[in-house]
Amino acid sequence: MQTQESNVVRFGQAALRCADCRLQRVCVMHTVASHCAGETGVKCGRPSPRGHHLFRQGERLQALYIVRSGSAKSYVSTPDGLEQVIRFHLPGDLIGVDALGEGTHTSSAQAMEMITVCRFPLDVIEDAAHHDPALYAQILKHAGREITKEHARAVLLAQRGADERLAAFLLQMSDAYAHLGYSAVAFNLPMARQDIASYLALAVETVSRLFTNFQHEGLLEVDRRSIHIPSLERLRAVARASGKTLLTANG
Amino acid sequence: MQTQESNVVRFGQAALRCADCRLQRVCVMHTVASHCAGETGVKCGRPSPRGHHLFRQGERLQALYIVRSGSAKSYVSTPDGLEQVIRFHLPGDLIGVDALGEGTHTSSAQAMEMITVCRFPLDVIEDAAHHDPALYAQILKHAGREITKEHARAVLLAQRGADERLAAFLLQMSDAYAHLGYSAVAFNLPMARQDIASYLALAVETVSRLFTNFQHEGLLEVDRRSIHIPSLERLRAVARASGKTLLTANG
DNA sequence: CGGGCACTTGAAGATAATCAATGCCGGTGG
DNA sequence: CCACCGGCATTGATTATCTTCAAGTGCCCG
């Protein structure tokens, strides 16, 4: 069920237009949007339930997406049926750039909770980029950042211990929420423990134990998916050097 | 020591022009080159010795590079002084795309042996892209592939054991050489064991042991950096499932 | 109220890291 | 030409970290 006016959607009682979007500040696509006053095919706000796939690995690239509200995860499926979480997406994030390589999605994107996204069909993007080549530069910039993030993750996985990884992950989430104007020290994780484990290349059990340990150390107050960070500084210290003498995964 | 004619360089006795370049087939930048008949600032072929840095992490992005001959590695330096190898670059590879994110290099690129590169200053690229927006799409495509490769690496590091990683790495090199028209089963690794270890997130000792084990299993003939692969199929089998009952890192 | 799924906890085991030492090759200088 | 040096690579023994297996708890949803 979608509205007739493209670029506009009724969500609850509110009609949302890109011009009104509170995410303009963090949204890579407002250049596209600015060229999309009328009927453009851009659809903003399509509420999807938890578990919904925006696209699946192997599908042809048709559109890029921006998260408006809620959150999603990207993952790749391995031949042996396992799932590797690649990235978590919060409001403002652009999804699907990796598919620009071969025109086919190399990862799947799935909603982790009720989510609304803005959909930018590829042809619309190309049209907009034709009018304003700066858009290409913009997307390229985004792609560059994406690569940089992957590098940071490679360092994390290659050189850091389990506790350092979890601490770094929590700080990453904290930063993301802060950047969106939410609290940096109190938030709810939208993803399951299993997803965190996959993302950090750890076993679920290890992640679980680490949460417990962090809590016992007073680094964290955890209640299921609700997180409170008493001291960002202390958590940063753990992310940097790890408590080599402080914590062990097993209790 | 550089030639006067840009886009042309004397290397040994041969004058090399992009138009003559045997890498055209694999070179992302021939679109740029085709707009660079005259004095463009593009410098092709600048022989640099082993150890030479094309750029360093933190430096302002000034140009992208394409490897013409030889090989290089990209790595990021961590706060604690460690080096994380991100990628190896063979002839035809485009280097520096990650810096398109913030305009600053987030990794360093260093020659692993005598190397020649083509240098594409950013403004030249932008000019060329102005004439032919398809170039943007081209670079974007490359960036997408880069991201996809990072995903593959994430899967490798997260889900695979040490022997599977090394096998996958060797097959990766094999494919790369085959793609360049060289032998897929006999080649010299341009990088040190330490670099392989870093790239695969393993200790040097582990890599060394694995080479030895592979050799004993008849999977590989290794002499220092010279590699011969008797059976690609068998190596692929190891990369897939690992010899869970077959090999152990320690002797 | 019951079932299933997500999460937690514990104990045993495996994989790869670390520590420590030796071997090999290539280059340099006597 | 040979001897020495330094970096790179290999090998062995021990240990730490994390995984795996197994079981149990609690919460959410029908």
Side-chain angles (χ1 to χ4, degrees):
Chain A
M1 173 119 17
Q2 294 163 203
T3 58
Q4 297 293 35
E5 325 95 299
S6 55
N7 211 18
V8 177
V9 68
R10 300 208 161 271
F11 180 47
Q13 292 300 324
L16 302 178
R17 291 171 303 158
C18 280
D20 300 335
C21 185
R22 295 188 316 170
L23 291 172
Q24 275 188 58
R25 193 171 46 83
V26 290
C27 179
V28 221
M29 289 306 223
H30 64 269
T31 312
V32 173
S34 69
H35 287 288
C36 299
E39 298 292 325
T40 58
V42 174
K43 296 282 189 296
C44 286
R46 304 172 5 131
S48 309
R50 171 188 158 83
H52 174 79
H53 277 86
L54 296 177
F55 52 79
R56 282 195 162 85
Q57 190 170 345
E59 284 178 5
R60 192 84 198 145
L61 169 65
Q62 294 181 328
L64 300 183
Y65 298 85
I66 291 215
V67 180
R68 180 185 274 274
S69 72
S71 55
K73 64 176 174 182
S74 285
Y75 65 90
V76 308
S77 305
T78 58
D80 39 322
L82 296 176
E83 224 175 67
Q84 177 61 46
V85 174
I86 293 298
R87 189 165 297 284
F88 298 114
H89 304 284
L90 295 185
D93 284 0
L94 180 62
I95 309 183
V97 190
D98 60 312
L100 291 171
E102 303 302 342
T104 300
H105 287 291
T106 59
S107 60
S108 304
Q110 187 179 28
M112 295 192 298
E113 58 185 328
M114 183 63 76
I115 192 180
T116 59
V117 296
C118 298
R119 185 175 189 274
F120 296 86
L122 204 56
D123 48 11
V124 171
I125 294 174
E126 281 165 354
D127 279 4
H130 192 71
H131 288 76
D132 183 3
L135 176 61
Y136 265 131
Q138 193 74 7
I139 300 180
L140 210 43
K141 191 171 173 177
H142 182 89
R145 282 203 209 96
E146 196 92 350
I147 296 174
T148 298
K149 281 183 197 164
E150 288 298 334
H151 291 176
R153 178 133 170 276
V155 171
L156 198 68
L157 297 193
Q159 301 190 351
R160 304 300 182 185
D163 43 13
E164 300 170 87
R165 290 186 213 173
L166 184 60
F169 165 73
L170 291 169
L171 289 168
Q172 198 175 303
M173 293 303 294
S174 165
D175 283 353
Y177 283 123
H179 194 245
L180 287 171
Y182 300 121
S183 168
V185 298
F187 47 84
N188 285 304
L189 295 173
M191 72 290 285
R193 294 284 190 275
Q194 178 57 62
D195 291 326
I196 301 176
S198 174
Y199 181 71
L200 297 177
L202 296 170
V204 207
E205 295 93 327
T206 304
V207 172
S208 192
R209 280 186 246 276
L210 286 170
F211 271 117
T212 305
N213 290 352
F214 280 12
Q215 174 132 303
H216 288 159
E217 296 290 337
L219 281 168
L220 226 53
E221 287 158 32
V222 189
D223 177 30
R224 217 150 168 79
R225 296 192 182 177
S226 143
I227 303 288
H228 175 70
I229 306 174
S231 161
L232 286 172
E233 262 324 311
R234 287 188 57 206
L235 198 56
R236 286 201 191 96
V238 174
R240 273 195 297 272
S242 166
K244 263 154 194 161
T245 61
L246 185 66
L247 297 166
T248 305
N250 289 324
Chain B
M1 184 165 313
Q2 292 164 205
T3 58
Q4 296 295 34
E5 324 96 299
S6 55
N7 213 19
V8 176
V9 69
R10 301 207 160 272
F11 181 47
Q13 291 301 322
L16 301 177
R17 291 172 303 159
C18 280
D20 300 335
C21 185
R22 297 187 315 169
L23 291 172
Q24 274 186 59
R25 193 171 47 83
V26 291
C27 179
V28 221
M29 289 306 223
H30 64 268
T31 312
V32 173
S34 70
H35 289 286
C36 299
E39 299 292 326
T40 60
V42 175
K43 296 282 190 298
C44 286
R46 303 169 10 129
S48 309
R50 172 188 157 81
H52 174 79
H53 277 85
L54 297 177
F55 52 79
R56 282 196 162 83
Q57 190 171 345
E59 285 178 6
R60 193 83 198 147
L61 169 63
Q62 294 181 327
L64 300 182
Y65 299 85
I66 291 216
V67 180
R68 180 186 275 274
S69 72
S71 55
K73 64 176 175 183
S74 285
Y75 65 90
V76 308
S77 305
T78 57
D80 38 324
L82 295 176
E83 230 176 60
Q84 177 61 46
V85 173
I86 293 298
R87 190 166 296 283
F88 299 114
H89 305 282
L90 296 185
D93 284 0
L94 179 62
I95 309 183
V97 189
D98 60 310
L100 292 171
E102 303 302 342
T104 301
H105 286 289
T106 58
S107 60
S108 304
Q110 186 180 30
M112 296 192 297
E113 57 186 328
M114 183 63 76
I115 194 181
T116 59
V117 297
C118 298
R119 184 174 189 275
F120 296 86
L122 204 55
D123 46 12
V124 172
I125 295 176
E126 281 165 354
D127 279 4
H130 193 70
H131 288 76
D132 182 3
L135 176 61
Y136 265 132
Q138 192 74 7
I139 300 180
L140 210 43
K141 192 172 173 177
H142 182 88
R145 283 204 209 95
E146 196 93 351
I147 295 174
T148 298
K149 280 183 199 165
E150 289 297 334
H151 291 176
R153 179 133 170 276
V155 171
L156 198 69
L157 296 193
Q159 302 190 351
R160 303 302 183 183
D163 41 13
E164 300 169 89
R165 289 186 215 174
L166 184 61
F169 166 72
L170 290 169
L171 289 168
Q172 197 175 303
M173 294 303 292
S174 165
D175 284 352
Y177 284 124
H179 195 246
L180 287 172
Y182 300 120
S183 169
V185 297
F187 46 85
N188 286 302
L189 295 173
M191 72 290 285
R193 294 283 189 274
Q194 178 58 63
D195 291 327
I196 301 176
S198 173
Y199 180 72
L200 297 177
L202 296 170
V204 206
E205 294 94 326
T206 304
V207 171
S208 194
R209 280 186 245 277
L210 286 170
F211 270 117
T212 305
N213 290 353
F214 280 11
Q215 174 132 303
H216 287 158
E217 296 290 336
L219 281 168
L220 227 51
E221 288 157 33
V222 190
D223 177 31
R224 222 153 163 76
R225 296 193 183 177
S226 143
I227 303 287
H228 175 69
I229 306 174
S231 162
L232 287 170
E233 262 325 310
R234 288 188 56 207
L235 198 56
R236 286 199 192 98
V238 174
R240 272 196 296 273
S242 168
K244 266 158 191 158
T245 60
L246 186 66
L247 296 166
T248 304
N250 288 327

